[in-house]
Amino acid sequence: MAKHRVLTEFGMGSSLRRQDYTQAARRGLQDALWHNSINMAELFGFEKEAMLIDVQIGVQQPDQVDPDSLTDIFPYGQVNITISHGGLDIPRPVGKPTVIANVAINVAFEMERA
């Protein structure tokens, strides 16, 4: 069987004052997930644990994101997180910059094409 993507969701998160890249990524994931209640597993007759969830996170300092602390956002599925350069750091007149993380979540299943 082959892996077939069935859904993509996008989100954006920020850390306004603490320059916390992991928190910005977490908020981006929540933004992508919390607006939806899509039952893809049931639609295709799979268990929820069969969901293959590929997460892409873009921030200006990828090495500052702790991917292991983000997996608890997903209540089920097999999660793979990739962090790359992207997002924005917005300078502020005083203090640390505001961090913006961009997130894409792809959901796939191992299945045959109809």
Side-chain angles (χ1 to χ4, degrees):
M1 286 198 212
K3 180 178 175 180
H4 292 282
R5 181 173 56 192
V6 295
L7 175 72
T8 301
E9 289 294 336
F10 301 100
M12 193 261 326
S14 62
S15 173
L16 298 176
R17 294 176 189 84
R18 294 185 306 138
Q19 197 176 5
D20 186 333
Y21 291 89
T22 299
Q23 185 63 42
R26 176 174 290 278
R27 289 175 176 156
L29 289 169
Q30 290 170 334
D31 181 49
L33 292 172
W34 272 226
H35 296 143
N36 300 290
S37 178
I38 299 169
N39 301 317
M40 295 308 288
E42 292 91 349
L43 178 67
F44 289 103
F46 291 109
E47 295 294 323
K48 292 178 180 179
E49 290 73 25
M51 294 172 65
L52 305 173
I53 302 170
D54 292 314
V55 176
Q56 295 173 286
I57 299 170
V59 292
Q60 285 292 299
Q61 295 186 33
D63 60 320
Q64 297 297 310
V65 177
D66 177 10
D68 295 333
S69 71
L70 300 174
T71 58
D72 67 336
I73 291 174
F74 300 92
Y76 39 75
Q78 302 166 46
V79 181
N80 177 43
I81 297 177
T82 303
I83 303 162
S84 60
H85 187 265
L88 291 171
D89 280 358
I90 313 280
R92 297 178 49 215
V94 177
K96 298 175 181 177
T98 294
V99 170
I100 297 177
N102 295 107
V103 173
I105 300 171
N106 295 305
V107 176
F109 294 99
E110 291 284 341
M111 61 184 173
E112 297 289 330
R113 284 192 183 238

